[in-house]
DNA sequence: CTGTATCCTGTAGGATACTG
DNA sequence: CAGTATCCTACAGGATACAG
């Protein structure tokens, strides 16, 4: 995404420009998908990889760590052998589900118009 | 954002992975901001530039054209001199407002936790 | 005023190989 | 299984200059 690093500009008029929030949460590629699949209940790393085939392990890890640090997703390591790690939405994460659904909704309508 | 162009992979299992919708709509940088400021009513190009100082003219144009092609934003050229162009949300675009607000909401909560 | 055209750069993300 | 480590590239977006 790259973004908000303008060089020769006055520091943003603060009054209200709170929308970087949006990309801060959903910004990464595949992030919405991760959230979506986790909304169906806890998933293990490998399960998510199967759910979202085109995502690389590296990116999936990155996104999960990212969401974890934001308190949107929880990570639970089960000390089995072989180890298994379960990811789940936190309460905060749950709140994002209707949001994503709404976006998908609008997305559908857009597709219908375009076709 | 770059994205979804995996090379050596089976073409996505179609069953459900509808979330690219999400980024397809809100994906571009500043897109949420554009939508946000338009939610307050129609705005002219230059007004949007002032609303969102760190955005370059090029990107603003790109995002607006993008949103226009999706039917989310309307573009109205007034044949005055100097010319003025008014952008506004379409009905479809209106539907995105609560979505964005919800994201901002969650964004706030995340910030509170982080601090 | 409302853009386009160019050129350039940073960084997200892919591929692949390897580890506990 | 669940990742890390490297390396590499495509493309979104910034800067600047110019046009109708």
């Amino acid at each position: 995404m790259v973004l908000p690093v303008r060089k020769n500009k006055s520091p943003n008029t603060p009054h209200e420009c709170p929308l970087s929030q949006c990309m801060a949460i959903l910004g990464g590629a595949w992030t919405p998908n991760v959230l979506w699949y986790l909304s169906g209940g806890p998933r293990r790393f490998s399960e998510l990889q199967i759910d979202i085939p085109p995502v690389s392990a590296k990116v999936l890890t990155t996104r999960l760590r990212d969401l974890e640090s934001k308190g949107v997703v929880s990570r639970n390591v089960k000390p089995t052998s072989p180890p298994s790690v379960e990811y789940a939405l936190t309460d905060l994460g749950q709140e994002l589900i209707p949001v994503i659904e709404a976006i998908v909704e609008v997305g559908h309508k857009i597709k219908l118009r375009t076709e």
Side-chain angles (χ1 to χ4, degrees), chain A residues 16-114:
Chain A
E16 51 175 349
C17 211
L19 277 301
S20 305
Q21 305 286 352
C22 184
M23 301 320 294
I25 302 173
L26 303 177
W30 307 114
T31 302
N33 283 282
V34 171
L35 258 21
W36 177 260
Y37 285 108
L38 285 181
S39 74
R43 302 290 278 169
R44 297 176 50 188
F45 187 87
S46 54
E47 291 179 314
L48 287 172
Q49 275 194 297
I50 295 168
D51 289 335
I52 318 169
V55 77
S56 62
K58 179 187 138 190
V59 172
L60 183 52
T61 304
T62 308
R63 297 275 69 82
L64 286 168
R65 292 277 187 284
D66 219 63
L67 292 168
E68 196 194 348
S69 78
K70 291 194 177 75
V72 169
V73 156
S74 65
R75 179 170 181 269
N76 192 297
V77 183
K78 297 187 173 179
T80 56
S81 179
S84 89
V85 182
E86 202 168 79
Y87 293 92
L89 291 182
T90 62
D91 292 352
L92 190 57
Q94 300 285 351
E95 296 184 42
L96 286 170
I97 299 309
V99 176
I100 294 185
E101 281 173 346
I103 298 176
V104 175
E105 183 84 10
V106 176
H108 280 322
K109 295 189 184 178
I110 290 176
K111 265 205 167 175
L112 290 178
R113 295 198 178 192
T114 312

